[in-house]
Each structure stands twice: as C-alpha cells, then as structure tokens.
Amino acid sequence: MTFQPNPGERIRINGKAYTVGQHPAAPGLAYAQAGRQGIVYQLIPVEGSPHEAKALKVFFPKFRIPAMVYQSEMMEIYSESPGLQVCKRDVLTPERNGDIIAEHPDLLYAVLMPWVHGVTWFDMIADQRQLKRTDSLSLAKALAGIGSGMEQRGLAHCDLSAPNVMLPFFSEVDLPEKSSAVELVDVEQMYSPKMDRPDVLLTGSPGYAAHRTVQSGLWSPYSDRFAGAIILAEMLGWCDPQVVGKAWGESYFDQPEMQNPCERYFVLKKSLEHHWGSRIADLFGRAWESQDVSSCPTFGEWLVTLSSINEEQLLQREIEVAAAAVKGESEDEDLGADMLALQTDASEAAKAAADAKEKPAATDTGSGTKGQDNGVVNRLFLQAREMEQKGDVKGALEVYRSAHHFVPAGSPMQVELEAAIRGLEDELNPKPQEVETGKIPLYRNRKWMAIGIAALILIGGSGITVNQILADRSESRQKEALASEALAKQQEEAKLAELLKSEQDKQKQAEEERKRKQDEEAAKLAKQKAEKQKLQEQYDKQAKYEAYLAQQKLSQQAKEEEKKRLQEQYDKQAKYEAYQKQLKQQQAKEEAARKAAAAKAKALQQKRSQQVVQLIAYYNQAYNAQKGGNTSKAREYATSFARLYEQDAAYFKSVGKTSTRANGIYKFLANAGYQLPNV
C-alpha cells in the first residue's frame, strides 16, 4: 500500500518509536516536503528532545536504488564534518526492516537521517527577508567554511542551490552548542573519490547552474564552486534592500541571465563592492566570467577574504546608528528641561539658564568625539537595544544599567546610556499627567504669576525691574539659540568636509588599485602569451619528429607488405569462394534480423499506443474522482498512472500532453490538496 502517514501516527524503525510530525502551516496534514527524488517526512521521537527529530526520505520508484546502502555507509564518515550532519543515514532494507517494508512497500530503501531545523535559503529569498550585515557575514562565513572543508576532503554536493541550504541559524528550536549555522541537505548526488558515479546526474538548479557547464551532468570535486559563489553573493547582498528588491523570485537570478551581462549582476556586484570591498566583488566577478567550474574561486579563497572583514567595525557601525537614535531622545529631554527652567521663579533664573547652557554644550562636545572601543559595552548596548525593540523593557533596563558600570565618567556613551535608562524608567513608572487631573502647578498658574510679578513690583518699587529681567532672559535665550545653531552648522560643515575628503581619498585609492590591477593583468597576459608561444614551438618540433617517425614506419611496413602480397594472392582465390558463400549466409541472417526488428518495433508501437490511451484513462478517472470528492479513489488512479508512466517515461514525456498530466499527478501525490487541471 502507498505510504501516506497522518500527523501523530506512530511508526517504529530499528526498535525506536516515532510520531509523524504535523505541518506548522497546515494543521491536520503530515509535515512533508517533496523534492526531485522523493518526499521527506518529519518523525519526532516519542522519547527524546525536539532537536533529535528525524527525517524519513521516501524515494520515488525510479530512485529506489539498492546501492544506496553502500553509498550511505561510505557517507557516514563525513557526518561529523560541519554542515553535513544529514550524512548520518540509515537505509531501510528487507533484511533489517522486512516487517515495515511489507506493510508499506514504498519504504524500500528509504533513508532515515537527522531532521535539520530552521528555514531554507530559498525561504529567505522568496519572502524577501532582509538581513543585518552581521548576520549576512555570519551565514556567508559558515557556508564558505563548509565548502572549504569539503574541498579539502575531495567532496562536492553537486546540487548546491537555495532549497538545499538549510539555516539552523534562524531555528526556533533550541539546538546543541557548536551547531553549524548552515547545513546542506539532499546529498544523494554527493561526489567523493571513494563513491561510485550515480546512474542519473543532475545539471544544476535554475538560478544557480552555469550555462557554460557541460550538460552531461555535474559530478566532480569542482561542481559546487559556481553555485556556491552565487549563494555566497546572495547572502552578502541580502543586507542591501536594493538587492532584495531586485530578486527574480525563487532565486536572485533568472536562469537565462546566468553568466550574461544583466542589470541584476551589476546591481549585486556594485552592492558587494560598496558593503564588503573590492576583493569580495572580484571573487564574484571571477566566478561569473569563468569558462568552467574548475576556474571559479575556491571556497578557501572566499573564507580567507571573509575572515579578513573586521566584525568589530560592523558592530561599531550598528552601535553608532543606535546611539544616534538615543541621542535624539536625549536632546528632546534636554529641551523639555530648558522649558521647565524658563518657568521657575526670578531668584533661580540665572542658575537655570547656566545649567541649560552647559548641558547642550556638553552634549555637542561629546557627539563630536569617537567612543572608546570597549567590546563589553558595545555588546551590552546592542543586546539592550534588541531587547528594547522586542518589548522586553525591564530586561533592557537591567542591561543598560550593567553597561553603565563599564563606561568612564563624562564620556559620550555615559550620556547616551543615562538618557536610555531615564527613558525606560519613565516608561516603566509613568508620572501622572497633570492635565488629566485638572491641577495646574503653581509656576504655571496665572494667578500665582500675577501675584509674583506684583510682589516684585512692590519690592523693587518699579515695573522696570521685572521687564528688565524678562528682557535679559529673552535675550540670553536668543543668544544661546544662535550660538547653538552656529555651532551645529559649523560641526555639520566640518563633517561634510571630512566626508568629502574621505570619499575623494577612497576614489583615488580605488583608481590606483584599478590601475595596478590593470598593469598586473597586462603583465600576466604578456607572460601567458610568451609561455603559450614557447609551448607552441615545442609542440611544432614534436609534431615534426613524430611525422618523421611515422614516415619511417610506413616505409618499413610497405616493404614487409610487398613480401606478403605475392603469398596472399595465392591464398585469396581459395578464400574468395569461401567468402562469397559466407557473405550470402550473412546477408540472409541480416535480412531475417531486419524483419524481426521491424515486427518487434511495430509491436512496441502498438503497446505504447495502448499504454498512452490507458494513461489518459487513468488521468481522467483520477480527475473525475477528485471532482466527485472521492480523494482516495483519485489517489488510486493517480498511483496507477504514475506506475505505468515510469515504465517508459522517456517516451511518454514526448507524446501529446502526457507530460502535463504526469506533472499534475506527481503534484497531487505529493499534496492531496492540489487540484488536477482539466487537460
């Protein structure tokens, strides 16, 4: 019977009990994922942790190969390598798993392996989920490290693409320590010098296959270099919203664009150079312009270049962005304090004005200097900002307070941390709003202000004193505002000048680097040309010598053949008659064979015609059963269609709309909710 488990159904394999997992996006359906060669089901251990879940891969009949047992035994030695945990595989065989295979024949040579938690890189691209720069770098370094380790052992995945790259980095399940941020799946086509060549070879996935690759298939230690370069470039470019917005769909590039000049290539390369430097962009360009996969950059080159990127600088930039936001909040609080100071009584006016003047000056001075490179403070600051964004206000407040102990007094970071702490404390313990209670503070009460002014008039003997105080305060505030505005303008002009100079220096360095590379490339080409010419001369000499030897050999052979010719003439007459007789017999046999072959071809054509008619009938029956609401009957007809179709798939694929019907049948078998088209 066909293997179609329900969620929660128990299954025992090799003495251990599992339950079939439920699809998170479709309650009531088994957690299954269809691929090129079969369907993968999630099995959750009855006794064990969630991260110990297994994946049961049930192959389609065409891919149920007995040699899978030997292949899995050879692959198990690679399961300890980073990113290759799915190489720890257990194949279900009739000798060890006869009972369950007898109950479910589709499980013959099925594979049990670790379930990899997390999303695929395909999901990240399809959902257009932009990454942080630090996350982009972490994923790219992890993938480059996996590829470098595989190349050092002579291994290659041979079908590297977005759906086959899993990201436990974003898993919601708690994973063991030292788990890899990236894992590779679908390793049935993996190349190893210790394993046999597969019967069916893949030519790569759309969006990741080089159009210059030999179409006979990929199976060599260099097979992953081009596709790996594309995925690495995607990961590094996914921190740029412009690159994310340009994505084709299921991959960044559309297959016809591969290794051709196109807008997406130039956008991605420019983004890589802007965010990660010219060395990363050059590696991507080498892969894109390569003539074959062996001339693409190695994963080791990618790893060395990525490891040279300073992660502390990336963190510092994120801190500066976060600090700018905190500084804006701090300045708003300072403005509120100044407004409050203006409403105090006349006896404290001078002190309030002085405090209000000193505080912005200190803030402006702090903003113009660079913070100290303190790794602990930086990490605590970023952690608190993330907790604050997630709504964990109490946790963020505690982390801010912890970071406050490590900063020196009077530093810009201390000002920013104190502002953040005050803001969170006000958020956790909000003060009652005075407007809502209807009570007005004394210093805002008009009656009190009139009494105060009258008292000042009586004490001073004249209204000139009050007017003078108010005029002085107004003039003082105007002077402070003008001075602050002039200082801000001066700082802005200085920053612009510094940025302009920095940009000019970068352009100059880039131009010098480009010229240097052009000179190196010209020297390299000249050297290659000279070496090529030298080799050509050696080839010409060798060819002439070989031609001379061939001529001598021919002359010697001619003499020997002349001696044999006379003897052969006497033998030819007798052999000629025997030959004529044998020729007639051979012609008779060939004629009989031709007739038999024609009859066999005719019978085969009749059989195929009948099978095509039967396939159409099965499809129509499945379609009508599904329309009638009889899903189980529709699945039986669909299964019959699939079995008959796979007997001669190469022929059926070219007949009419049989291929269209087959695509619908396979989608229906993989997903019972799929509606068969009316073909």
Side-chain angles (χ1 to χ4, degrees), residues 82-87 116 143 146-147 150 156-157 160-161 164-168 180 182-187 190 224 231:
L84 294 177
Q85 63 168 309
V86 295
C87 288
V116 181
L143 180 59
I146 293 169
M150 292 178 64
H157 185 278
L160 206 57
S161 58
N164 293 338
V165 177
M166 298 291 299
L167 306 178
S180 177
V182 176
E183 289 283 346
L184 304 183
V185 296
D186 283 352
V187 295
M190 189 168 74
D224 295 344
I231 297 177

Side-chain angles (χ1 to χ4, degrees), residues 420-475:
I421 291 171
R422 287 198 303 271
L424 294 183
E425 288 176 346
D426 293 342
E427 184 175 351
L428 288 173
N429 302 304
K431 298 180 180 179
Q433 296 183 0
E434 298 172 10
V435 177
E436 295 178 357
T437 61
K439 297 180 180 180
I440 303 176
L442 291 178
Y443 56 80
R444 293 185 181 179
N445 191 293
R446 293 183 178 179
K447 183 178 179 180
W448 182 90
M449 291 177 66
I451 294 172
I453 293 173
L456 289 173
I457 293 174
L458 292 174
I459 294 171
S462 174
I464 299 175
T465 305
V466 176
N467 293 333
Q468 184 65 37
I469 292 173
L470 295 177
D472 291 343
R473 288 179 60 189
S474 176
E475 183 179 358

Side-chain angles (χ1 to χ4, degrees), residues 210 213 218 220 222-227 290-297:
T213 304
L218 288 171
S220 75
Y222 316 114
S223 300
D224 295 344
R225 290 186 179 179
F226 182 82
S290 62
Q291 298 299 319
D292 54 69
V293 291
S294 62
S295 58
C296 294

